[in-house]
Amino acid sequence: MSFEDYISGRQEAFKNASSEGRSELPIGKYQGIINEAVIKQSEKDGKYYVRFGILVEGPTHVGFKTSVLHCLSKPDPGKTDRIGYLKTDLKTLGVELEDITKIRDALEVVPDRRIDFEIWKKGEYINVSIKKLILEEGPVGTSVKPEQQNKAPF
């Protein structure tokens, strides 16, 4: 069968398929790898953000991408300063940072780290939370707290 004959059999499905892209990741717990850790400036409001890009490795939706954003700017009046969440995520990823001016250097070591993360909803917002660092030396799915990362298992 020629390619033209083969592909013409897919015309109806293609015609009716959505072009809206992939659906969002459903609420749940996942494992993934940090494939990007960068500082970005928003074109909309000019604020700076740390973005952790995450590539899903399982247990479902392998290959989907999501991200965690942390605003580096001072909060708007009356809003809570959430920079502590960035510090917590860095610590979870095994990065101890006390001087925020060294953030660019700290982010350089983050890519390729495997994590457990969770997608959850609060009100109308969907959130992504980094939960644990995954030991690369251990069996797949073995999680470890950062303070245990360099300790011998015996």
Side-chain angles (χ1 to χ4, degrees), residues 53-153:
I54 303 170
L55 180 64
V56 178
E57 292 187 323
T60 62
H61 296 80
V62 174
F64 272 53
K65 294 179 181 179
T66 191
S67 62
V68 174
L69 289 175
H70 290 287
C71 185
L72 294 173
S73 300
K74 290 181 182 179
D76 294 330
K79 299 284 184 169
T80 303
D81 194 344
R82 292 184 161 83
I83 201 159
Y85 294 127
L86 170 61
K87 192 171 185 178
T88 298
D89 279 352
L90 287 169
K91 185 175 180 179
T92 300
L93 293 168
V95 178
E96 295 288 338
L97 181 66
E98 294 301 324
D99 181 352
I100 192 67
T101 65
K102 307 290 185 201
I103 187 72
R104 286 188 193 276
D105 294 335
L107 294 178
E108 289 180 7
V109 301
V110 173
D112 299 326
R113 297 203 177 183
R114 287 188 159 68
I115 58 168
D116 286 337
F117 69 97
E118 183 174 4
I119 297 179
W120 53 283
K121 191 170 186 176
K122 182 176 182 183
E124 64 185 77
Y125 298 103
I126 295 177
N127 299 285
V128 180
S129 296
I130 298 171
K131 296 297 186 182
K132 294 180 184 174
L133 189 62
I134 297 175
L135 269 178
E136 295 204 36
E137 296 81 19
V140 173
T142 302
S143 298
V144 65
K145 294 181 179 176
E147 60 269 14
Q148 297 171 329
Q149 185 176 4
N150 295 321
K151 293 185 178 177

